């Protein structure tokens, strides 16, 4: 540690003062000081390629110069920082850009709610709205789902460790098998439809189904377009609302702006957060079809739902990256580049396989312990990458969408070398 940093805080302040709940810093113990694009630098000057991107909150990279210039200009001119749900210039410009560049070109008609700054806030408001609209309480979720850490979001999350942290029973949610949960042995939705029809099943008619098109934390489990279409059709037949959680997979992570576009479905409710703010600033949206807008004024709110600097950077990101399909095509091409590299790696070594979509790709290890070891070795060699899945058996890649092909290849080479060393150690 440099002398100047030692004068600022002690080297062990994180261990002595910060809660034991911290997690990422345990696997990546460096003290980070600056970041640019796909790179992050520690206090010793060591640089790391970031294939984590703030868990998907930094799709446009660290300190994106276009977004930073807009933000600095806004701050320099004393723009509103905290606005609750008051009408502001920054919010108006965001809503206009979101309507003109995102919704209208896709033929989507959604009302926009600012529920608070996080993905969990968005999920909570979606669940609450679905129950208010339908008058029902039960929610259907899916195996290995992750929707957030607040009580409502945890109730529709599958991870047992995270659920245990609630400290109380998590009720009014029923899990169903995600696509390919039974390896194709059981017909899609056969159990779901059967219990809906059976008066003796004990399943209350649900208000909504909540689903991720790609389960990120659950292990990069990709739902097929035909599975999503069948789910959407089932919900329509049964008058059940369909909620798509696009918190991590939205904003271009899978290629198109919304991850459900490929399936050609129109969810009743959509949750967005993470990269919607563009710059990593906290921001979340809950989108819903206009006839579902039954909220009374102030019935669901939050102090920081008016984070105006995030509106500024979000608007700039939409205007620059989503005015045409160039960025989408580049993202899809980079995703194919990662997938091709992973397919080659799997062909060269036993005990691994791959799955993913767009620029969320996973390397699946038959021996779950190997995934953590690969992540640790990659960190030592200057690459940040995390594990995911029910047994942390998947090395999950979430690089910035703006990463260059050269940077992508550099990180993939580090990962390939680390994988080979761990598999044969």
């Amino acid at each position: 540690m440099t002398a100047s940093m030692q004068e600022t805080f002690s080297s062990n302040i994180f261990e002595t003062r910060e809660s034991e709940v911290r997690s990422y810093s345990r696997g990546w113990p460096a003290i980070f000081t600056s970041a640019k694009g796909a790179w992050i630098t520690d206090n010793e000057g060591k640089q790391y390629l970031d294939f984590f991107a703030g868990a998907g909150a930094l799709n446009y990279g660290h300190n994106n110069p276009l977004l930073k210039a807009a933000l600095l200009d806004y701050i320099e001119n004393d723009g509103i920082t905290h606005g609750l749900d008051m009408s502001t210039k920054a919010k108006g410009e965001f809503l206009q850009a979101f309507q003109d560049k995102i919704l209208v070109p896709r033929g989507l008609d959604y009302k926009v709610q600012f529920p608070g700054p996080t993905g969990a806030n968005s999920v909570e408001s979606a669940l609450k709205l679905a129950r208010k609209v339908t008058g029902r309480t039960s929610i259907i979720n899916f195996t290995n789902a992750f929707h957030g850490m607040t009580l409502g979001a945890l109730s529709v999350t599958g991870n047992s460790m995270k659920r245990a942290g609630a400290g109380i029973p998590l009720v009014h949610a029923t899990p169903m098998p995600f696509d390919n949960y039974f390896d194709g042995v059981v017909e899609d939705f056969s159990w779901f439809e059967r219990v809906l029809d059976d008066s003796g099943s004990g399943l209350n008619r649900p208000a909504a189904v909540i689903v991720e098109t790609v389960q990120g934390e659950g292990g990069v489990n990709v739902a097929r377009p035909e599975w999503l279409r069948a789910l959407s059709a089932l919900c329509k037949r049964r008058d059940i609302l369909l909620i798509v959680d696009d918190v991590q997979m939205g904003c271009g992570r899978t290629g198109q702006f919304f991850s459900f576009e490929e399936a050609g479905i129109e969810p009743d409710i959509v949750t967005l957060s993470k990269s919607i703010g563009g710059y990593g600033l906290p921001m979340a949206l809950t989108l819903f079809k206009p006839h579902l807008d039954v909220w009374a004024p102030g019935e669901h709110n939050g102090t920081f739902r008016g984070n105006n600097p995030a509106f500024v950077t979000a608007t700039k990101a939409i205007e620059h990256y989503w005015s045409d399909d160039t960025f989408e095509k580049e993202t899809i091409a980079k995703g194919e580049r990662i997938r091709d590299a992973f397919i080659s790696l799997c062909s060269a070594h036993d005990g691994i396989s791959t799955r993913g979509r767009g620029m969320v790709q996973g390397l699946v290890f038959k021996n779950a312990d190997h995934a953590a070891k690969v992540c640790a070795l990659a960190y030592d060699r200057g690459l940040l990458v995390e594990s995911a899945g029910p047994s942390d058996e998947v090395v999950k890649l979430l690089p910035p969408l703006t990463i260059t092909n050269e940077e992508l290849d550099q990180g993939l080479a580090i990962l390939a070398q680390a994988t080979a060393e761990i598999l044969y150690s």
Side-chain angles (χ1 to χ4, degrees):
M1 182 178 292
T2 64
S4 61
M5 291 198 68
Q6 287 177 337
E7 293 169 358
T8 304
F9 58 84
S10 63
S11 60
N12 66 345
I13 189 66
F14 303 106
E15 289 76 17
T16 60
R17 190 55 55 190
E18 190 178 3
S19 167
E20 292 300 315
V21 78
R22 66 191 187 280
S23 60
Y24 292 116
S25 59
R26 297 179 187 276
W28 306 330
I31 298 174
F32 298 107
T33 58
S34 63
K36 181 73 171 179
W39 295 90
I40 185 167
T41 306
D42 71 14
N43 63 311
E44 302 290 345
K46 182 177 178 178
Q47 290 190 310
Y48 300 79
L49 258 176
D50 187 359
F51 275 24
F52 175 65
L58 295 166
N59 281 3
Y60 311 107
H62 294 273
N63 288 300
N64 183 295
L66 293 168
L67 311 187
K68 181 166 67 173
L71 178 60
L72 291 174
D73 182 68
Y74 184 76
I75 295 171
E76 180 65 27
N77 287 284
D78 294 327
I80 300 293
T81 295
H82 182 276
L84 293 164
D85 69 356
M86 294 183 290
S87 299
T88 66
K89 181 175 182 288
K91 185 201 282 186
E93 290 176 343
F94 167 74
L95 286 170
Q96 192 71 55
F98 191 74
Q99 171 185 277
D100 295 348
K101 305 289 188 182
I102 303 300
L103 296 180
V104 171
R106 292 161 178 80
L108 298 172
D109 184 15
Y110 288 125
K111 296 292 287 292
V112 179
Q113 178 183 356
F114 300 94
T118 74
N121 291 136
S122 183
V123 168
E124 292 286 349
S125 64
L127 299 179
K128 186 191 290 188
L129 180 62
R131 287 167 170 145
K132 180 177 173 64
V133 167
T134 64
R136 306 172 214 144
T137 59
S138 178
I139 304 291
I140 300 296
N141 60 302
F142 290 94
T143 51
N144 292 317
F146 179 79
H147 297 288
M149 299 296 283
T150 49
L151 290 180
L154 272 179
S155 73
V156 291
T157 287
N159 185 287
S160 60
M161 183 273 287
K162 291 180 171 62
R163 288 175 63 87
I168 61 171
L170 297 170
V171 296
H172 306 305
T174 302
M176 292 291 168
F178 192 71
D179 190 16
N180 204 40
Y181 185 74
F182 292 110
D183 298 321
V185 174
V186 176
E187 183 182 355
D188 293 336
F189 306 120
S190 59
W191 168 253
F192 191 5
E193 293 209 76
R194 177 68 181 270
V195 295
L196 284 172
D197 290 336
D198 186 355
S199 61
S201 69
L203 177 69
N204 294 326
R205 187 181 180 194
V209 170
I210 185 167
V211 67
E212 303 156 275
T213 65
V214 181
Q215 295 181 328
E217 300 304 312
V220 195
N221 304 311
V222 182
R224 293 166 296 143
E226 55 267 32
W227 187 88
L228 292 168
R229 286 192 289 270
L231 176 62
S232 177
L234 186 155
C235 288
K236 288 178 181 177
R237 290 196 306 270
R238 305 294 184 143
D239 190 29
I240 301 168
L241 297 178
L242 177 61
I243 305 169
V244 168
D245 182 341
D246 237 2
V247 168
Q248 188 170 81
M249 297 304 153
C251 304
R253 175 54 58 181
T254 63
Q256 295 168 305
F257 186 86
F258 294 109
S259 71
F260 56 80
E261 290 182 59
E262 182 185 49
I265 63 173
E266 292 186 17
D268 298 292
I269 304 175
V270 181
T271 64
L272 284 176
S273 186
K274 291 191 183 287
S275 279
I276 188 61
Y279 199 72
L281 299 175
M283 178 177 170
L285 309 177
T286 307
L287 313 178
F288 39 83
K289 294 182 177 179
H291 71 277
L292 301 177
D293 195 6
V294 298
W295 291 119
E299 189 174 11
H300 185 93
N301 55 30
T303 301
F304 292 99
R305 64 193 183 279
N307 184 5
N308 280 248
F311 297 155
V312 171
T313 51
T315 300
K316 191 67 176 180
I318 288 171
E319 290 175 344
H320 182 77
Y321 293 103
W322 297 101
S323 290
D324 58 33
D325 62 357
T326 302
F327 188 63
E328 175 185 320
K329 290 179 178 177
E330 291 174 350
T331 299
I332 292 171
K334 289 173 185 174
E336 291 174 350
R337 194 181 191 94
I338 300 171
R339 183 162 181 79
D340 288 345
F342 275 5
I343 289 172
S344 296
L345 189 61
C346 293
S347 297
H349 306 290
D350 293 330
I352 53 175
S353 59
T354 184
R355 57 181 180 242
R357 184 175 151 216
M359 286 187 71
V360 52
Q361 297 287 337
L363 196 60
V364 187
F365 287 80
K366 188 174 182 180
N367 182 335
D369 293 341
H370 284 163
K373 292 177 180 178
V374 167
C375 291
L377 187 54
Y379 167 79
D380 290 340
R381 293 176 180 178
L383 178 69
L384 301 186
V385 63
E386 70 165 339
S387 60
S391 301
D392 281 325
E393 74 278 14
V394 182
V395 172
K396 182 177 73 170
L397 268 62
L398 290 171
L401 308 186
T402 52
I403 194 171
T404 66
N405 285 335
E406 291 74 21
E407 290 168 332
L408 203 53
D409 290 344
Q410 184 177 344
L412 289 170
I414 294 172
L415 189 59
Q417 185 180 33
T419 297
E421 290 192 26
I422 293 301
L423 287 176
Y424 297 107
S425 61

